[in-house]
Amino acid sequence: MMNTKLTFTAKVLIFIFIMVYTIIPLLGLFDIWFNSFYSTNDYIQYLIPVFENEKAIRSLFSCIWGAALGGAVLAIISFHNHIAVTKAFDSSHAWGFLLSPLLTISIGVITFLLLNGGFIFLTGNTTPSSESQPYGYTLIGFIMGYNWDVTIKYIEKLSKKIATEKKIQNNN
């Protein structure tokens, strides 16, 4: 099956999608950072009946929004590269842009779990304040979302290591 060149209208629609996908995480992060998580907090309380640990939820959403923003920045760079530099934007690229939000939001959740599960260690300030915590989760989420391909390889490597250790334990 041959890839087809997209029309100008399709390219504009994908561009608008990328811009919306960039603005939504920014609004979410601004809500967490500057609005004390009130807007998102009200919405989440309806989704999670027992809202016990606001700090954990705030960190989770910081990681998700950071990963989504990382994916959005990568999408902007890729879109520019395909449109302006290589001039080779075709239909096969569209699916990558459309699936990017789902991929990076999922990576944000997985990154949060890896951080809190002790599978990823960060060094730096040994006494993080509650005010600086969302920024760290946002940054690591951004890095993991921007480098989603490296993140997936890390998860595959970790999965193989866990499976190998489980086999060794079962044989003993």
Side-chain angles (χ1 to χ4, degrees):
M1 181 191 289
M2 297 188 74
N3 295 328
T4 58
K5 295 286 184 186
L6 292 177
T7 65
F8 178 77
T9 305
K11 292 175 185 175
V12 169
L13 289 174
I14 291 172
F15 173 76
I16 291 169
F17 178 78
I18 293 169
M19 291 302 101
V20 169
Y21 169 44
T22 304
I23 291 168
I24 290 172
L26 284 172
L27 292 175
L29 287 171
F30 290 158
D31 178 48
I32 290 170
W33 296 341
F34 305 119
N35 197 22
S36 299
F37 200 51
Y38 289 124
S39 301
T40 311
N41 190 6
D42 291 341
Y43 179 69
I44 291 171
Q45 283 182 336
Y46 292 110
L47 295 176
I48 303 171
V50 181
F51 194 59
E52 295 175 7
N53 192 346
E54 181 181 347
K55 188 176 176 184
I57 297 294
R58 190 174 177 195
S59 298
L60 169 65
F61 274 87
S62 294
C63 203
I64 290 170
W65 291 134
L69 186 60
V73 169
L74 180 62
I76 292 168
I77 292 167
S78 296
F79 188 78
H80 173 266
N81 185 45
H82 292 306
I83 295 292
V85 178
T86 64
K87 296 178 182 16
F89 191 78
D90 59 36
S91 60
S92 66
H93 295 112
W95 285 108
F97 291 108
L98 295 175
L99 292 174
S100 181
L102 181 61
L103 173 68
T104 56
I105 287 170
S106 300
I107 284 179
V109 172
I110 292 167
T111 300
F112 175 79
L113 295 173
L114 289 170
L115 284 168
N116 286 319
F119 291 97
I120 298 176
F121 298 101
L122 301 176
T123 59
N125 187 1
T126 57
T127 56
S129 70
S130 60
E131 289 181 18
S132 66
Q133 184 182 12
Y135 300 118
Y137 278 92
T138 302
L139 181 60
I140 192 69
F142 178 89
I143 292 167
M144 300 291 258
Y146 182 83
N147 293 306
W148 62 264
D149 55 331
V150 176
T151 303
I152 290 171
K153 287 177 187 170
Y154 173 76
I155 293 168
E156 288 173 357
K157 184 178 174 182
L158 181 63
S159 298
K160 287 178 185 175
K161 184 175 182 176
I162 291 171
T164 303
E165 288 178 8
K166 190 151 187 108
K167 242 188 233 183
I168 291 170
Q169 286 177 352
N170 289 340
N171 289 337
N172 291 333

